[in-house]
Amino acid sequence: MNDSLARLRSQLGDRVVLPGAPDYDEVRRIWNAMHDRRPALIARCLSAEDVASVLRYATAADKKVTVRGGGHNVAGAALADDAVLIDLSLMREVIVDTAAGLAYAQGGCLLRDVDAATTPHGLACPAGVVSHTGLGGLALGGGYGWLARKWGLTCDHIVAAEVVLTDGSIVQTDAQTHPDLFWALKGGGGGFGVVTRFALRLCPVGQVHLHTGVYALDNAGEALAAYRDFAEKQPADLHTVGALKQAGAQDWIPQSLHGKPVLVLTAGWFGAPAEGPAATKPLFDATVPAATRRQLLTYAQLQALADHSEPHGNRYYTKSCYLADLTGRPIEEFLGAARDIRSSRSCIDFEYLRGAIDDVMDEDSAFPGRAAPYIYTASAQWTDIRDDGENVDWARHSVERLAAWRYGGAYVNYVQDEPEGKFLEVFGESRYRRLAAVKQRYDPHNVLRHRP
Ligand SMILES: Cc1cc2nc3c(=O)[nH]c(=O)nc-3n(C[C@H](O)[C@H](O)[C@H](O)COP(=O)(O)OP(=O)(O)OC[C@H]3O[C@@H](n4cnc5c(N)ncnc54)[C@H](O)[C@@H]3O)c2cc1C
């Protein structure tokens, strides 16, 4: 063992995990089984000081570094062969300051950690829709979710952060301190430093009225047109999402649809619960579904609703794009992609965005694409490695067939298997150059690998 590794070991003890250690395979595993990479060293950090020591060690050893927040990045960005992996999964503390309306969340938090701490106070930070996703990667790339139209993206709620830079220094950043770094953390996609603590502005949340309708694919074209006409006119209290997938064997869904491809439309009302039924009803009056369900949920229940459908350890491949509108042919392409699904676990998700996402001044954050009307995501999920080819092809083709109706750019957290030029398209020329300048200033030797 060389001196610098011995020094790191003296600080972190058996939280330094090397290849061959009994827990190495368990600790390096991430959500998507497609990414089976072997880091040279895994450091399970407990503090910013631990992270600083690991970065100093890696720089001296001339190793690239990756960071794991929740390990959910679709492209497996948290993991690289022969790199040093900074594992933040033991850093999940959340402290809520109700008087200030802020949560201080460590960099390895999952979304459910933040919700568990904030929702008992009737507060939440807007975030994604699967509660075992990591806060770190999600917030650094943007963060769409149920509250986005009402309150904005997760990155819009970062008010300050503690960041460990690649030279091992620990800095605090906010709009006044290291403003360029702070700007880049808000949706720039990561790679500027390791965020060990986020300060997040919280919003009030109460009970949520959720209204869901399921349609056989034969009626789905009409229902999709009705969705478009409805969704685009709604107040920010109403968020609507759609999915094309195989119907599960749930009691409220007619047996004749079990196992069949269906369209599921869901409207969530985030205003006064009593107004929910009247607000969501017109969506389902326009084209009558085969079955509907109404639920009154706490926000924490809503956030966990989709958890079971995205389990750890399956094989996943995701492709996504923004769409300018849903008029005519794109609807046919949606349905064509749904008919071609290769796996019963795969899904197409889409939603109308705008609302508060688009209210933030463009120059206030690195996040691009605020005005994008729709996001469309084809998520292939399967279990057998022999089925990789057909599932990957399905997800790619599902997005390619919509090429003519795309809105510019893409959501950085869903980018995978693309050349560097894709990131120029994602951020646009001036944002991309500004992000490159921030990277050059805060990680001049490109130690942090944030793209696979
Ligand atoms: C099941 C599922 C559901 C999803 N749902 C949504 C959704 O509703 N809305 C949405 O916007 N996105 C969603 N996503 C996409 C999600 O935003 C990205 O996958 C994101 O990268 C996940 O972050 P993570 O911390 O779990 O990932 P990781 O793989 O751990 O990290 C992703 C990237 O961020 C970096 N990173 C993570 N934490 C830190 C940190 N503290 N400091 C510095 N760098 C860090 C990593 O180095 C890596 O480059 C979903 C993804 C999955 C798999």
Side-chain angles (χ1 to χ4, degrees):
M1 196 186 308
N2 63 36
D3 285 355
S4 54
L5 180 56
R7 260 199 308 281
L8 190 65
R9 272 232 146 126
S10 71
Q11 183 177 340
L12 274 77
D14 58 10
R15 289 184 287 110
V16 172
V17 182
L18 296 171
D23 52 348
Y24 176 77
D25 284 331
E26 179 59 33
V27 176
R28 78 184 167 93
R29 194 167 298 145
I30 56 172
W31 169 78
N32 185 351
M34 288 279 273
H35 306 299
D36 181 23
R37 303 185 189 123
R38 302 182 63 81
L41 179 152
I42 305 172
R44 311 201 72 196
C45 296
L46 289 178
S47 63
E49 289 71 25
D50 280 356
V51 172
S53 300
V54 180
L55 284 166
R56 282 194 211 98
Y57 161 79
T59 309
D62 199 21
K63 289 282 184 197
K64 293 287 179 202
V65 174
T66 62
V67 182
R68 175 167 62 206
H72 264 45
N73 182 266
V74 294
L79 214 54
D81 285 328
D82 200 36
V84 168
L85 168 60
I86 294 181
D87 173 14
L88 299 178
S89 65
L90 302 177
M91 294 178 62
R92 292 171 56 184
E93 180 187 64
V94 183
I95 296 167
V96 181
D97 179 344
T98 49
L102 294 175
Y104 298 91
Q106 282 191 306
C109 280
L110 305 182
L111 303 186
R112 65 163 64 125
D113 302 323
V114 182
D115 289 339
T118 61
T119 55
H121 304 287
L123 297 167
C125 177
V129 301
V130 173
S131 81
H132 48 79
T133 308
L135 169 70
L138 178 119
L140 295 172
Y144 290 112
W146 281 109
L147 293 175
R149 279 173 47 75
K150 181 162 177 157
W151 296 115
L153 303 167
T154 312
C155 69
D156 299 335
H157 292 258
I158 305 174
V159 295
E162 176 184 75
V163 185
V164 187
L165 303 178
T166 49
D167 64 3
S169 55
I170 302 172
V171 300
Q172 310 296 325
T173 176
D174 59 24
Q176 278 77 44
T177 321
H178 297 286
D180 49 350
L181 175 62
F182 184 65
W183 171 85
L185 295 183
K186 294 168 67 137
F192 309 100
V194 182
V195 180
T196 42
R197 196 176 296 275
F198 291 93
L200 302 166
R201 186 163 40 86
L202 302 175
C203 312
V205 281
Q207 285 195 306
V208 183
H209 169 78
L210 203 70
H211 194 165
T212 309
V214 61
Y215 300 83
L217 227 47
D218 291 346
N219 302 333
E222 202 187 320
L224 277 164
Y227 168 84
R228 173 200 61 216
D229 294 343
F230 178 79
E232 296 184 7
K233 296 190 192 97
Q234 296 312 306
D237 274 336
L238 201 119
H239 190 96
T240 50
V241 301
L244 288 150
K245 59 183 181 183
Q246 187 169 303
Q250 290 165 283
D251 291 349
W252 67 281
I253 298 177
Q255 268 195 354
S256 59
L257 290 180
H258 291 179
K260 300 270 168 45
V262 291
L263 168 70
V264 182
L265 297 180
T266 307
W269 174 255
F270 295 88
E275 295 168 9
T280 58
K281 186 170 174 289
L283 172 63
F284 302 103
D285 284 348
T287 308
V288 178
T292 57
R293 179 167 68 163
R294 292 173 190 272
Q295 293 163 285
L296 195 58
L297 301 171
T298 64
Y299 178 72
Q301 283 172 326
L302 173 71
Q303 287 297 91
L305 221 52
D307 284 3
H308 67 282
S309 58
E310 312 279 348
H312 287 78
N314 282 353
R315 304 180 77 75
Y316 293 89
Y317 191 86
T318 301
K319 280 283 178 189
S320 176
C321 63
Y322 291 129
L323 292 174
D325 68 44
L326 265 192
T327 306
R329 269 289 294 286
I331 290 183
E332 286 170 40
E333 299 297 345
F334 274 40
L335 300 179
R339 287 196 181 91
D340 288 350
I341 278 184
R342 313 309 301 169
S343 159
S344 62
R345 298 165 195 261
S346 298
C347 184
I348 291 166
D349 293 298
F350 57 92
E351 60 195 291
Y352 181 68
L353 299 168
R354 295 251 169 100
I357 303 166
D358 198 18
D359 289 344
V360 175
M361 297 292 287
D362 223 22
E363 60 273 19
D364 285 353
S365 72
F367 187 83
R370 289 194 175 272
Y374 289 91
I375 188 166
Y376 170 98
T377 307
S379 303
Q381 181 187 160
W382 67 103
T383 54
D384 191 329
I385 194 169
R386 289 169 300 186
D387 299 333
D388 283 8
E390 59 174 348
N391 283 288
V392 168
D393 286 351
W394 170 77
R396 284 188 181 145
H397 184 54
S398 302
V399 167
E400 281 161 12
R401 61 200 300 162
L402 289 161
W405 301 281
R406 282 183 61 172
Y407 187 86
Y411 179 32
V412 70
N413 276 349
Y414 287 145
V415 171
Q416 69 172 325
D417 286 349
E418 300 278 1
E420 183 60 27
K422 180 71 182 181
F423 293 93
L424 186 58
E425 185 199 326
V426 165
F427 289 105
E429 176 88 29
S430 68
R431 251 196 189 74
Y432 184 82
R433 301 277 164 241
R434 190 170 166 193
L435 286 168
V438 178
K439 177 81 174 168
Q440 178 60 32
R441 175 161 179 208
Y442 289 96
D443 181 16
H445 304 295
N446 194 20
V447 174
L448 279 175
R449 257 192 69 144
H450 62 296
R451 290 170 192 150

